[in-house]
Amino acid sequence: KFFSAAAPCPGAPWHIGAVANVRFGGVPLRQVIEILKLNVDDRAHFITAEGSDGPPKPDAADFEHSLPLGDALDRTILALTLNGEPLPAAHGGPVRLVTPGYYGTMHVKWLNRIRFEASETANHHQVRRYRTPLAPIKPGAKFEYDLGNSEPNWRMRTKSIILSPSDETKIEKSAGADNKINVVGVAFNDGGCRIDRVELSTDGEVWRRVEIVVPDSPYAWYRWHTAVDLKPSEHTLRCRAIDALGRTQPLDGAIHWNPAGYAWNGVHTIRVKVL
């Protein structure tokens, strides 16, 4: 949805995204390799995961994805549970490949095979889908993906979201009440380092740090909150996260425009009206 403001993107127009904060349980891939005494060839640099579902059409490519072997050994689990319950089939059960800090498309459902390979798979879903250009392109431009000019949607970009108030909210203040408005949201990244701070702006110029709650897991949401003084008028609120590596959110998220509209992480902006 946000990329389409610069140039149309096909597909489902997500708003703030299909975001969720859940707890997967399972067996680390590294432990499976050790228990089975697998001898992984030194030439292997990727794993490629397949699911038991077939292609949607007879002439279409089956779904599979490749991930870097290093991250797979450090992070990936064969997920068997979701929030303490057996993993439902709708979410990839009985076994799903889950790599924390990676975009959801890489969490291959109904896992039935893992290959250790020297290169990324040349499968349609790895080369033609779920990738973003390495260099910025003009919004609306056509782009022919290949393994050399683009990167897969692996590690999530640093991002924060305002959850409350919601966009276009009208906030009515009672007579004599102060003008403090509670603003709450979440921030997250790829889990490679901590979220160092989250900042909120009410005028697009001055950014103020907000209170953040550090989660137990580096891959979980950092919840944040603050109260801002807003007079009766229309206001624009913006938030951005900055992690310990200095990675943050661009003011203009459209600089990462891509034809499919993947991996938006621009500064989140909402508009509210205080009555």
Side-chain angles (χ1 to χ4, degrees):
K1 177 180 172 65
F2 296 122
F3 279 124
S4 291
C9 299
W14 294 111
H15 188 239
I16 60 172
V19 292
N21 190 51
V22 302
R23 185 183 297 274
F24 285 105
V27 184
L29 176 61
R30 181 187 291 274
Q31 188 175 358
V32 174
I33 293 171
E34 292 171 351
I35 290 174
L36 295 178
K37 296 181 171 58
L38 298 181
N39 183 20
V40 178
D41 195 294
D42 290 340
R43 293 171 294 177
H45 297 291
F46 299 89
I47 66 166
T48 298
E50 303 177 26
S52 60
D53 55 324
K57 298 179 181 179
D59 58 345
D62 200 3
F63 189 85
E64 62 183 41
H65 269 314
S66 295
L67 289 73
L69 179 59
D71 274 356
L73 294 178
D74 289 342
R75 303 179 176 212
T76 298
I77 67 170
L78 307 188
L80 305 172
T81 65
L82 175 64
N83 292 334
E85 300 291 336
L87 185 63
H91 291 293
V95 185
R96 182 173 185 174
L97 188 87
V98 171
T99 306
Y102 270 51
Y103 285 104
T105 184
M106 296 296 162
H107 304 334
V108 177
K109 295 180 178 180
W110 313 294
L111 182 69
N112 67 351
R113 189 182 185 202
I114 296 176
R115 310 194 308 263
F116 295 84
E117 301 181 318
S119 304
E120 293 178 53
T121 176
N123 180 278
H124 169 80
H125 300 287
Q126 183 78 15
V127 179
R128 303 296 179 188
R129 301 181 68 204
Y130 305 114
R131 301 184 76 87
T132 48
L134 287 175
I137 62 174
K138 182 179 179 181
K142 294 185 181 299
F143 188 79
E144 292 294 327
Y145 290 93
D146 60 45
L147 295 178
N149 66 8
S150 59
E151 60 183 354
N153 295 148
W154 284 337
R155 291 189 172 210
M156 290 192 288
R157 293 174 176 171
T158 302
K159 189 174 183 179
S160 62
I161 297 168
I162 298 171
L163 295 180
S164 179
S166 56
D167 193 23
E168 303 298 338
T169 294
K170 293 182 179 179
I171 303 171
E172 188 168 354
K173 306 299 292 184
S174 58
D178 62 32
N179 291 300
K180 293 284 187 178
I181 304 296
N182 291 321
V183 184
V184 299
V186 298
F188 50 91
N189 63 359
D190 61 8
C193 67
R194 71 181 185 278
I195 298 290
D196 194 50
R197 64 187 187 275
V198 177
E199 299 176 336
L200 185 77
S201 176
T202 59
D203 59 11
E205 296 180 1
V206 178
W207 294 85
R208 298 178 177 86
R209 296 181 69 155
V210 303
E211 293 290 328
I212 62 174
V213 179
V214 179
D216 293 334
S217 168
Y219 307 111
W221 282 349
Y222 288 67
R223 298 181 183 273
W224 59 264
H225 62 90
T226 191
V228 294
D229 188 11
L230 299 179
K231 307 299 183 184
S233 183
E234 293 185 352
H235 300 272
T236 299
L237 308 182
R238 299 174 176 86
C239 72
R240 66 185 180 192
I242 303 97
D243 68 22
L245 292 176
R247 298 176 299 184
T248 187
Q249 300 173 249
L251 291 173
D252 180 10
I255 63 170
H256 295 307
W257 187 93
N258 59 95
Y262 295 142
W264 170 274
N265 79 321
V267 163
H268 189 211
T269 301
I270 69 166
R271 293 170 179 82
V272 297
K273 185 174 184 179
V274 179
L275 304 177

